[in-house]
Amino acid sequence: MRPPDLDSVDHEILASLQTDSRTIAETIGARVGLSAAAVQRRIKRLRQTGVIAREVAVLDPHVLGLAMTFVVTVEMERERIEVIEGFRSQVLADEAVQQCYYVTGAADFVLVVCCRDMADFETFTRRMFFDNPNVRHFTTSVVMDRMKVGLTVPVRPAQVR
């Protein structure tokens, strides 16, 4: 799929919405030099073309009692499509998994998992790994400090050298 043509105003609108998706069109318009209606039309186009995939609330896991975050690498027993797809479905259905990447290298997957405590994580490992005959090995790192967490992507065009 070819990416949509975006100009510098689109980039500014996207940067603003990534910071706070509740920013009103009038405020964005004042920043980028457009009317609120023009900003709203651009946002609608950005949604329709899939540039804006979703708009969600970002919750603080600590406030919700999810004090522990884990980074888990997973090696599958066999790298067959049905094994990969089965694990993918399992990951997508589990709310403790915040992020999952199918990767190259020694591991097949890298997961970011949020849990209340170690007992909660042990329950997670049993259902996700120990009960899955297709998981060969997994390695866990406990996150000591969440230094940077986000889903923002660079939206400004690359500088010409």
Side-chain angles (χ1 to χ4, degrees):
M1 181 169 112
R2 186 179 162 275
D5 292 326
L6 303 176
D7 63 18
S8 62
V9 175
D10 290 325
H11 291 128
E12 290 300 320
I13 291 169
L14 290 169
S16 181
L17 292 174
Q18 278 195 119
T19 303
D20 182 357
S21 68
R22 296 186 313 165
T23 305
I24 60 173
E26 289 82 7
T27 302
I28 296 171
R31 286 185 200 147
V32 301
L34 292 177
S35 69
V39 169
Q40 289 169 336
R41 283 191 299 273
R42 284 176 178 251
I43 292 171
K44 181 178 179 181
R45 178 180 52 84
L46 292 166
R47 287 178 181 134
Q48 289 173 337
T49 59
V51 174
I52 297 175
R54 292 186 307 155
E55 296 170 65
V56 299
V58 178
L59 308 179
D60 185 330
H62 287 90
V63 173
L64 296 171
L66 299 168
M68 299 194 75
T69 302
F70 305 88
V71 178
V72 184
T73 58
V74 182
E75 184 182 345
M76 305 306 289
E77 194 63 50
R78 295 169 291 288
E79 194 164 348
R80 293 194 333 249
I81 193 68
E82 64 272 9
V83 169
I84 300 303
E85 287 301 317
F87 189 73
R88 179 182 184 276
S89 295
Q90 188 180 2
V91 164
L92 289 172
D94 199 298
E95 66 179 11
V97 179
Q98 300 304 294
Q99 297 177 51
C100 177
Y101 302 94
Y102 179 42
V103 298
T104 62
D108 296 306
F109 292 93
V110 176
L111 282 63
V112 177
V113 179
C114 284
C115 293
R116 288 185 309 273
D117 51 31
M118 287 302 288
D120 192 26
F121 182 68
E122 181 182 6
T123 301
F124 169 81
T125 62
R126 287 178 188 272
R127 84 173 163 265
M128 190 64 83
F129 309 129
F130 291 117
D131 292 345
N132 186 337
N134 291 314
V135 172
R136 175 184 298 157
H137 179 75
F138 70 95
T139 303
T140 302
S141 296
V142 177
V143 173
M144 295 177 63
D145 185 15
R146 293 168 43 104
M147 297 172 66
K148 181 178 180 181
V149 177
L151 295 175
T152 60
V153 296
V155 294
R156 290 180 176 69
Q159 298 294 324
V160 178
R161 291 183 191 197

